[in-house]
Amino acid sequence: MSDELLAIADRVIGWAHDGEQVEVVVGKSRSTEIRVYEGDIESLSSAESQGLGVRVVVDGKQGFAYAGSLDPDVLHEVLDEARDNAAFGTPDEFLGLAEPDGVPVPDLDLYRPGLFDVPTDRKVALALDLERAVRAADPRISGIEAAEYADGVSEGVVVTTTGIRATGRDSACYVGAYPLATDDGDTKTGFGFSVGREPSELDVDAAASDAAQRATRLLGAVKPAGGRMTVVLDPYVTAQLIGILAGTMNGEAVLKGRSLFADRLGDEIASSVFTLVDDPTNPLAYTASHTDGEGLATRRNVLVENGVLQKFAHNAYTARRSGTVSTGSAVRGFKSTPGVGCRAVSLVPGTRSQPELLAEVGDGILVSSVAGLHSGVNPVSGDFSTGAEGLRIVDGVLGQPLREFTIASTLQRMLKDVVAVGNDVEWLPMSAAGVSLVLRDISVSGT
Amino acid sequence: MPAAGLIDDDVVTRVLSAALRTGGDFAEVFAEDKRSSSAYLDDGKIEELSSGRDRGAGIRVVVGETTGFAHTADLSETGLLAAAEAAAAAAREGGAGTRTVALTRTEVRHPSPAQIQPSDVAKATKVALLQRADGAARAAGGDIRQVSASYADSRRRILIANSDGLLTGDDQVRTLFTVGAVALGDTGMQTGRESIGHTIGFELFDRYDVEELARAAAERALTKLAARPAPTGELPVVIGPGGGGVLFHEACGHGLEADLIAKGASVFKDRRGEQVASPLVTLVDDGTVATEWGAFGCDDEGTPAQRNVLIQDGILTDYMWDFLRSRKEGRPRSGNGRRQSYQHLPMVRMTNTFILDGPDDPASIVSGTEHGVYVAKLGGGQVNTATGDFVFGMTEAYLIENGEITEPLREGNLIGNGPEVLQNIEAVGNDFEFGPPGTCGKDGQGVPVGDGVPTLRVSKLTIGGSAA
């Protein structure tokens, strides 16, 4: 299928004027989404989307345009519009497209044509099986807001006048459920999911037990007393935290004065057990990718090693402006110009399981979910405050469920306050992997 | 007819018939043509102008409780018929049959039709706005280190036709301008941000001065340089006019959406007619408020926007409804069926959600607070509708000491429980204002929404600051 997209991109590139750089990104995707409710199909959507984005750089100025269509009559219009937009940009000597850098494209198996052979009835059955399994998992499950199956196949190409010619495609599927649990007048919610590249890789039972456990384990929760204490973050919470951290460790944030780590390369910013890696070449990551948004090969980047800040993620522009090379970290869809971002960050795991970590902590709180993390973290000042739920840790084991409290610190202090990283790495359908994380001296507000 | 020309009437009729071929009891065509443009300035440079076009149709077929949906970017009859077949196949349980739909055009009146189409405005004029904002923010003081500004407009023409014979459409133009400033001081960096957005055209800039907006953003960042950590724990909170509408959007708005009610995922289920809030609270959702960010002529199912009173003097009067939920309950729709684009199914969404004026003098609300927090502006938030627990960020807040607003506070989160907060509102002022434009996310779909509040006091909310 990529040949068709390459042909479209080549056609537009053929219209480039002398003295201008043109980049064409073409994307196409097919997806299915099935929602079931109380044993019946609630909705079944099937969709095909496509479109292209064109970036023009001329005289050091950049313009962009896109269309959610690949109709032949649209292609020239998009190029013309991007060219016209470039006329209004401010000249910047560092603007320009990526150029081939010789880094080989990783050999990754991200696409399974078998996804297309799975009949719709089978996909519906997976969602229904999951809904049934969650209900059966615990008598306190009082309802299931949604159980769903979704899959998608996407492919994209990046072609430029600077010699980039990248293609990529992948497939993914997912089942997930959002149950409600009720006990003694108290209601709580949970979620569980399983991800794979094709339906045979989905684990419905694991998704069901996660969903039921998350929904039931906070029943009867109370507000904790406030104070400073040690907290253990569940893997899913850690994933959200390191996702935000990684967002401050990129060239764009640094150049724009929006990173608290701007002048800290080479400094010890975290505890020595903290090693943060962005590796989209790891096939275990569901967000793995052959190439980045500018068509360069993805690569493994160590951002923080044993607590020392090693590097920032860069795309072609931020690298040029910072006097370094792209780390293959351009991220974008066809509707925007490339930004910079990490695709697959994870912490290098420690040696202990979560129960072992809890035993070591003795007394504290296990944070099982957070809310409002994005509004509660200021990537410039490092201020950190988020709503949380969890369970009390008493004498090294989990006790009373807790709700409606906040945890607060600053990112700077939290990184230094990392006591241990667990061995329970979980790959999630997001740009960061989860793992249990122990942080000391966190301010907890409650009653 | 705003959306005329998107698809011919006779093509729409044939597509609806095709969609009903497998026995669907309802079919709908939603076509959309959206053009958008944006410009971005950062660090004194116009980084980029961008233009976009999205056009396509989503076709929905309902059989009993099952919905089939397919969308296409191809608005030709062939493309539409293929999508109709796919949607019909997805909802194939009904008996086969042939139905012909007789369409009746319904004109909707948009509350604020655009006076100046942004596409008619020269790009250079839009760029100049950014540069003026940049200059004004920098002039606010030497501690301002970074300024960014963005301009965005969109024109969304939609057509909705369904097997009940409805044929209608809307022409929605929105214009948005945002300025962000970063100040550097002894305590580190602080940010300030201001935005204006209305459902109108380029006349937005006849109503607002971008330089004033830029100065406000810069002042905010500078003020926060002197901010101290927010306190931690439960305190009385005074919400300032306009800046805290998101509290009600999160604390109860989402819980009043009929789709969540139907699934038992709301603490407000089965509570109509009950006192769910302090008698001072009257909560309204109103898509007809001219120029507000969540305003429109008709929703994305073709229902005209309307004003719905959700809570009257503390008593829960009604939920918000879309087509599917209102059909099931046998009641009228409320104009709350919205979707992000033709690629999405509609669901129950808010429009402009706000608290009406109360009896109190705003100054006395503050002076009557011994020790607490004054929140001038709230940031983004989220809620778990099943439990009512919500959280949102404070982007501009001050300490109240002995009845007076004193020091600025650094950012922190506010958390609480919707039903509890509604009961704990002990004063509502008479100085109502709408707040800045927002984007509400639900099930992965974002739609523009507005909100607003007068000054009000909640007897206690949990504040998650970092002061020990």
Side-chain angles (χ1 to χ4, degrees):
Chain A
M1 292 200 295
S2 292
D3 291 348
E4 178 200 337
L5 302 189
L6 277 173
I8 291 168
D10 285 340
R11 208 168 148 215
V12 179
I13 290 293
W15 296 325
H17 293 168
D18 283 346
E20 80 185 0
Q21 291 189 334
V22 177
E23 172 193 71
V24 184
V25 178
V26 189
K28 191 168 186 172
S29 65
R30 276 168 69 173
S31 63
T32 313
E33 193 180 307
I34 298 159
R35 284 190 154 213
V36 302
Y37 184 65
E38 295 187 343
D40 277 323
I41 303 174
E42 180 178 77
S43 66
L44 197 164
S45 306
S46 63
E48 196 167 315
S49 308
Q50 53 191 29
L52 88 162
V54 176
R55 179 159 60 132
V56 173
V57 181
V58 59
D59 300 331
K61 301 187 287 189
Q62 172 169 300
F64 180 77
Y66 77 88
S69 161
L70 295 177
D71 288 348
D73 61 313
V74 168
L75 306 182
H76 218 299
E77 182 189 316
V78 174
L79 173 64
D80 290 344
E81 190 64 26
R83 189 177 279 147
D84 187 48
N85 283 342
F88 296 91
T90 305
D92 178 343
E93 60 179 309
F94 302 111
L95 281 172
L97 307 179
E99 292 182 13
D101 64 1
V103 176
V105 173
D107 182 20
L108 295 169
D109 174 25
L110 307 178
Y111 177 74
R112 309 289 161 77
L115 188 61
F116 288 112
D117 302 330
V118 178
T120 304
D121 289 350
R122 172 75 194 121
K123 298 175 180 178
V124 171
L126 281 167
L128 290 171
D129 286 350
L130 175 59
E131 190 188 40
R132 249 190 319 270
V134 177
R135 274 199 181 277
D138 192 294
R140 294 169 295 176
I141 298 295
S142 53
I144 295 172
E145 208 179 323
E148 59 196 16
Y149 167 90
D151 65 32
V153 174
S154 65
E155 57 173 330
V157 305
V158 182
V159 180
T160 69
T161 53
T162 55
I164 298 278
R165 198 173 164 80
T167 64
R169 62 179 175 177
D170 56 59
S171 63
C173 60
Y174 161 94
V175 283
Y178 303 86
L180 304 163
T182 307
D183 191 30
D184 205 12
D186 187 27
T187 297
K188 288 284 176 284
T189 59
F191 63 90
F193 55 83
S194 174
V195 214
R197 300 241 170 241
E198 57 186 325
S200 61
E201 295 175 6
L202 297 175
D203 188 341
V204 168
D205 292 335
S209 68
D210 280 359
Q213 198 220 2
R214 283 200 176 96
T216 55
R217 78 168 171 173
L218 292 176
L219 284 166
V222 299
K223 281 182 92 149
R228 287 193 169 271
M229 57 193 84
T230 298
V231 303
V232 180
L233 305 185
D234 245 352
Y236 189 69
V237 176
T238 304
Q240 296 172 69
L241 176 65
I242 62 174
I244 286 178
L245 259 180
T248 68
M249 294 177 185
N250 76 60
E252 191 170 357
V254 168
L255 287 169
K256 294 189 168 175
R258 291 184 200 126
S259 170
L260 68 159
F261 300 113
D263 305 317
R264 308 291 309 275
L265 275 181
D267 288 358
E268 199 172 303
I269 59 159
S271 137
S272 63
V273 298
F274 192 90
T275 294
L276 185 68
V277 177
D278 179 34
D279 188 6
T281 71
N282 184 341
L284 292 173
Y286 294 104
T287 46
S289 175
H290 295 96
T291 54
D292 79 346
E294 293 180 298
L296 294 179
T298 55
R299 53 208 81 177
R300 181 175 192 268
N301 293 305
V302 179
L303 303 174
V304 181
E305 189 164 27
N306 301 326
V308 177
L309 183 60
Q310 299 290 346
K311 68 159 83 161
F312 298 122
H314 284 288
N315 64 15
Y317 172 77
T318 64
R320 223 174 272 133
R321 213 175 127 187
S322 308
T324 178
V325 292
S326 172
T327 56
S329 306
V331 290
R332 56 133 29 124
F334 69 78
K335 293 188 179 183
S336 69
T337 53
V340 194
C342 294
R343 279 194 160 72
V345 285
S346 63
L347 287 174
V348 169
T351 55
R352 283 157 296 173
S353 65
Q354 191 184 83
E356 288 168 334
L357 295 174
L358 297 176
E360 218 160 272
V361 166
D363 293 291
I365 291 179
L366 172 77
V367 177
S368 62
S369 74
V370 289
L373 198 52
H374 279 273
S375 60
V377 182
N378 184 322
V380 175
S381 65
D383 288 355
F384 177 97
S385 160
T386 178
E389 294 180 322
L391 296 127
R392 200 185 299 285
I393 307 167
V394 183
D395 296 334
V397 293
L398 293 177
Q400 172 73 46
L402 304 170
R403 63 180 272 261
E404 215 185 323
F405 61 96
T406 68
I407 54 174
S409 182
T410 63
L411 288 176
Q412 295 90 323
R413 268 170 55 187
M414 285 165 82
L415 287 176
K416 293 278 192 181
D417 287 340
V418 170
V419 177
V421 181
N423 65 1
D424 48 352
V425 176
E426 268 181 47
W427 292 97
L428 302 164
M430 53 195 277
S431 64
V435 68
S436 291
L437 188 69
V438 183
L439 303 168
R440 69 174 163 226
D441 204 28
I442 298 292
S443 166
V444 173
S445 82
T447 53
Chain B
M1 188 74 196
L6 269 182
I7 313 176
D8 288 342
D9 290 8
D10 51 339
V11 173
V12 173
T13 307
R14 288 196 289 273
V15 171
L16 285 172
S17 293
L20 291 168
R21 202 167 292 153
T22 57
D25 31 70
F26 175 81
E28 174 192 71
V29 175
F30 174 88
E32 177 180 46
D33 187 349
K34 183 174 179 179
R35 283 176 184 272
S36 52
S37 86
S38 64
Y40 185 67
L41 172 144
D42 192 65
D43 203 13
K45 291 184 285 211
I46 303 296
E47 285 199 345
E48 169 181 305
L49 265 70
S50 171
S51 314
R53 180 163 194 196
D54 289 285
R55 188 176 51 170
I59 294 175
R60 168 161 76 138
V61 178
V62 181
V63 184
E65 301 282 300
T66 298
T67 298
F69 181 69
H71 64 77
T72 176
D74 180 359
L75 288 184
S76 72
E77 183 162 1
T78 320
L80 291 166
L81 287 172
E85 300 280 351
R92 69 194 152 206
E93 285 167 35
T98 306
R99 271 168 66 191
T100 309
V101 176
L103 294 171
T104 310
R105 268 177 192 286
T106 310
E107 300 287 340
V108 301
R109 207 175 66 83
H110 193 288
S112 48
Q115 308 295 315
I116 305 170
Q117 285 297 337
S119 55
D120 293 341
V121 176
K123 288 175 181 173
T125 307
K126 299 174 183 177
V127 166
L129 288 172
L130 298 174
Q131 287 160 333
R132 277 170 45 203
D134 181 56
R138 286 179 191 282
D143 290 337
I144 297 293
R145 294 304 162 88
Q146 292 288 334
V147 178
S148 63
S150 68
Y151 164 89
D153 63 54
S154 66
R155 180 178 188 186
R156 179 185 191 239
R157 296 186 310 135
I158 58 174
L159 171 150
I160 304 108
N162 68 32
S163 55
D164 295 340
L166 176 76
L167 173 61
T168 192
D170 198 9
D171 187 349
Q172 301 165 353
V173 177
R174 290 189 169 86
T175 308
L176 177 71
F177 195 90
T178 302
V179 188
V182 176
L184 180 67
D186 298 340
T187 55
M189 292 185 274
Q190 289 292 339
T191 55
R193 188 169 212 59
E194 288 286 337
S195 56
I196 42 165
H198 284 278
T199 305
I200 51 175
F202 204 75
E203 64 270 25
L204 177 73
F205 302 102
D206 298 335
R207 293 176 53 171
Y208 293 92
D209 177 4
V210 296
E211 284 157 335
E212 207 172 288
L213 193 75
R215 280 190 288 273
E219 285 304 331
R220 176 103 62 85
L222 292 170
T223 303
K224 279 158 75 178
L225 286 179
R228 56 185 252 184
T232 317
E234 282 187 340
L235 281 176
V237 172
V238 177
I239 307 279
V246 67
L247 172 66
F248 295 92
H249 177 102
E250 300 297 347
C252 58
H254 280 295
L256 299 176
E257 294 167 344
D259 48 351
L260 298 173
I261 297 282
K263 292 186 169 178
S266 168
V267 281
F268 295 103
K269 185 181 167 67
D270 298 328
R271 300 206 56 195
R272 265 185 289 187
E274 291 180 27
Q275 186 88 36
V276 298
S278 146
L280 295 168
V281 174
T282 293
L283 177 73
V284 172
D285 181 84
D286 187 351
T288 73
V289 187
T291 85
E292 281 310 311
W293 195 236
F296 46 75
C298 68
D299 72 5
D300 300 322
E301 300 180 309
T303 309
Q306 63 184 61
R307 177 183 175 90
N308 299 296
V309 177
L310 307 174
I311 296 175
Q312 175 81 53
D313 302 324
I315 293 170
L316 178 55
T317 47
D318 203 358
Y319 304 125
M320 290 171 276
W321 304 84
D322 64 358
F323 165 74
L324 279 179
R325 299 300 161 191
S326 58
R327 182 179 78 146
K328 199 170 172 191
E329 297 270 320
R331 54 149 291 144
R333 310 186 202 181
S334 62
N336 292 96
R338 304 181 68 189
R339 54 181 123 200
Q340 179 176 313
S341 79
Y342 73 88
Q343 302 189 349
H344 300 88
L345 273 167
M347 58 184 152
V348 185
R349 304 303 296 265
M350 283 175 261
T351 63
N352 302 299
T353 313
F354 48 91
I355 297 283
L356 299 189
D357 266 341
D360 300 307
D361 168 32
S364 72
I365 295 177
V366 174
S367 63
T369 309
E370 177 86 8
H371 178 68
V373 167
Y374 181 88
V375 181
K377 278 211 163 65
L378 287 169
Q382 65 188 74
V383 64
N384 180 334
T385 56
T387 62
D389 290 341
F390 65 78
V391 57
F392 41 83
M394 306 185 287
T395 52
E396 184 182 357
Y398 303 85
L399 204 58
I400 300 177
E401 293 169 300
N402 302 317
E404 275 179 42
I405 294 173
T406 57
E407 289 175 84
L409 298 174
R410 293 179 77 153
E411 289 171 24
N413 267 322
L414 277 184
I415 63 171
N417 179 270
E420 285 171 22
V421 164
L422 288 180
Q423 300 287 2
N424 290 342
I425 291 170
E426 47 185 26
V428 177
N430 54 12
D431 55 346
F432 175 84
E433 282 179 31
F434 276 105
T439 299
C440 167
K442 177 176 171 184
D443 277 358
Q445 293 192 44
V447 296
V449 294
D451 57 48
V453 281
T455 296
L456 56 88
R457 184 171 66 228
V458 184
S459 62
K460 57 175 183 177
L461 274 173
T462 301
I463 295 162
S466 52

